[in-house]
Amino acid sequence: MSADTDATQRCRKLLQKTQAAEKSLKEHLVTKRKAPSDPKVVSLRSTIRDNYEEIIFLDYAFAKRKDVELSLWKSAFYKPIEEYRYRIRKLSAAAPTSPDAAAQKAETCKRFRGFLAEAGGFYTGLLRKMQTHFKLEMGGLLEMGGPLAMSGRASSDRAAAAGISSWRERVAPQYVSCHRSLIFLGDLNRYREQHKDGDGAPDFSSAAKYYTRAIRLLPTIGNPFNQLAVLATYDDDECDALYRYCRSLCLRTPFDTARDNMRLLFTKNMEKMQRLGQNSKRDAGAAKSILVRFRTRFVRLHGILHTGRGLETFGEVQNQVMNDLAYLHKGGVLHRPLALRLLAINAFSLFQLHTTFDGVSAGAAVSSKARSGSKEGQAMTAASAAACACAFSLCCATFSMLVG
């Protein structure tokens, strides 16, 4: 019997034991409602974590076939995270009227932060083990003092180039494993900031660094762009979130969840537009406030283009966006980085509209109606043509501003 076969047999036995432990863990967390800090839960988690880690390094091909990495994350980490968050929400609701609940919440949050720190330590160690064991070239992306640890605008260009020069050579599947672990580390840091101690505003820069490292490692996978979009929504930056969702969906390996998140963004933006009103007056020195309104309207316009909701306001919103765009460019407020992002969003929308109208994508049924001779079909044709024309005009406008 070969060594490889011995390793595979060992992996099969470990997998069976681990799946039994997963079933028991689920029973303790879901059925018995045990706390994640319960000694039995901690013991089961440790068993699951250690067994899955052993499988990864014992027979990586086997681990990949069984999607061990995702099972490791969900069972040993994400399920306890969900339980902690559930308990914290429940205690938060009771805390204003119950001193005991407030004290329990503080203690639960403290335990949760300790859990997240332990999980972060595990994935940091796992990344370094994979780098050494599989002899992976990571372009310095795992180094604490590496390019992405730098700060400031001057260093951002160098950070942007970190890892890019050699990513095309990263064809081994283990790089995808490292990519996934970097995203998990970003998520862990995001949860930590959401439940930080004290009254200070959350700082998601550490989470963003891990998502950015994942992008530098393998730029053709859309998941980390979606995570960066989620961070942008925390700052109520709808325009940046839309840009990130577009990036997430237009890559070689798109992250389909981003499409649902984008629709949710458009729904929330509609509510913001109602609060914004239709005030288009421009006072002297009000360029920054106009920029804020422009970004909101810009997202609304793309929401109409993608969803078809609010078509009756399409012409009005389009005119406001185009007028504000010209005004901001003339006033020097529309800086190049923002213009580039606007161009990317416009190009993505144009492509999506074009493929839908041609019946290449999920819009084939709509396109079929549009090609019919009915009044409904003629209306769809006109609306689709207007949408494509709008997206094309936006592309031309932002491009001319960049090169002008």
Side-chain angles (χ1 to χ4, degrees), residues 219-241:
T220 61
I221 300 177
N223 191 341
F225 284 103
N226 177 79
Q227 305 308 96
L228 287 170
V230 171
L231 295 185
T233 63
Y234 294 163
D235 292 330
D236 199 28
D237 192 341
E238 295 176 328
C239 197
D240 187 56

Side-chain angles (χ1 to χ4, degrees), residues 133-392:
H133 184 83
F134 299 116
K135 298 180 174 58
L136 304 177
E137 187 283 308
M138 302 292 286
L141 293 177
L142 300 187
E143 302 304 319
M144 293 302 293
L148 286 171
M150 299 184 293
S151 60
R153 175 71 64 181
S155 64
S156 63
D157 291 338
R158 285 179 288 162
I164 291 294
S165 60
S166 57
W167 73 264
R168 289 182 178 84
E169 300 172 7
R170 295 174 184 146
V171 295
Q174 289 87 350
Y175 284 113
V176 178
S177 299
C178 292
H179 183 273
R180 183 181 276 180
S181 293
L182 285 167
I183 293 173
F184 291 155
L185 280 166
D187 290 344
L188 292 168
N189 278 269
R190 177 161 57 92
Y191 301 144
R192 183 196 66 196
E193 286 300 313
Q194 288 175 322
H195 299 87
K196 66 184 299 182
D197 190 18
D199 299 326
D203 179 5
F204 296 107
S205 59
S206 293
K209 280 185 179 180
Y210 281 112
Y211 297 143
T212 305
R213 291 181 187 204
I215 293 169
R216 303 308 174 206
L217 183 65
L218 293 175
T220 61
I221 300 177
N223 191 341
F225 284 103
N226 177 79
Q227 305 308 96
L228 287 170
V230 171
L231 295 185
T233 63
Y234 294 163
D235 292 330
D236 199 28
D237 192 341
E238 295 176 328
C239 197
D240 187 56
L242 178 57
Y243 165 73
R244 305 286 185 180
Y245 287 138
C246 292
R247 291 290 303 271
S248 181
L249 290 166
C250 71
L251 296 174
R252 184 186 303 167
T253 307
F255 189 66
D256 291 336
T257 303
R259 197 174 304 279
D260 295 329
N261 291 340
M262 186 187 291
R263 292 192 188 100
L264 180 61
L265 177 74
F266 290 145
T267 299
K268 292 181 177 179
N269 172 259
M270 285 182 66
E271 298 170 0
K272 181 183 285 190
M273 277 291 292
Q274 291 173 357
R275 296 193 301 270
L276 179 67
Q278 302 301 318
N279 179 23
S280 59
K281 294 181 180 180
R282 298 195 184 111
D283 301 323
K288 288 187 177 180
S289 63
I290 293 172
L291 177 60
V292 173
R293 293 201 299 271
F294 163 75
R295 291 165 72 102
T296 301
R297 288 169 177 154
F298 181 81
V299 174
R300 178 70 195 115
L301 181 60
H302 282 273
I304 297 172
L305 293 176
H306 283 270
T307 68
R309 295 174 63 187
L311 279 172
E312 68 280 359
T313 65
F314 175 76
E316 184 180 7
V317 176
Q318 180 185 8
N319 289 334
Q320 288 173 333
V321 167
M322 297 301 287
N323 291 336
D324 285 347
L325 187 62
Y327 177 83
L328 293 168
H329 176 60
K330 184 178 179 180
V333 181
L334 190 69
H335 299 301
R336 187 177 182 86
L338 175 58
L340 279 169
R341 294 190 176 194
L342 297 178
L343 177 59
I345 295 169
N346 295 333
F348 175 81
S349 293
L350 180 60
F351 175 78
Q352 291 290 303
L353 288 164
H354 177 72
T355 53
T356 299
F357 185 55
D358 282 351
V360 175
S361 67
V366 174
S367 180
S368 176
K369 288 184 179 180
R371 290 195 179 100
S372 70
S374 66
K375 290 184 179 180
E376 182 185 8
Q378 291 173 0
M380 287 182 178
T381 300
S384 299
C388 287
C390 173
F392 181 72

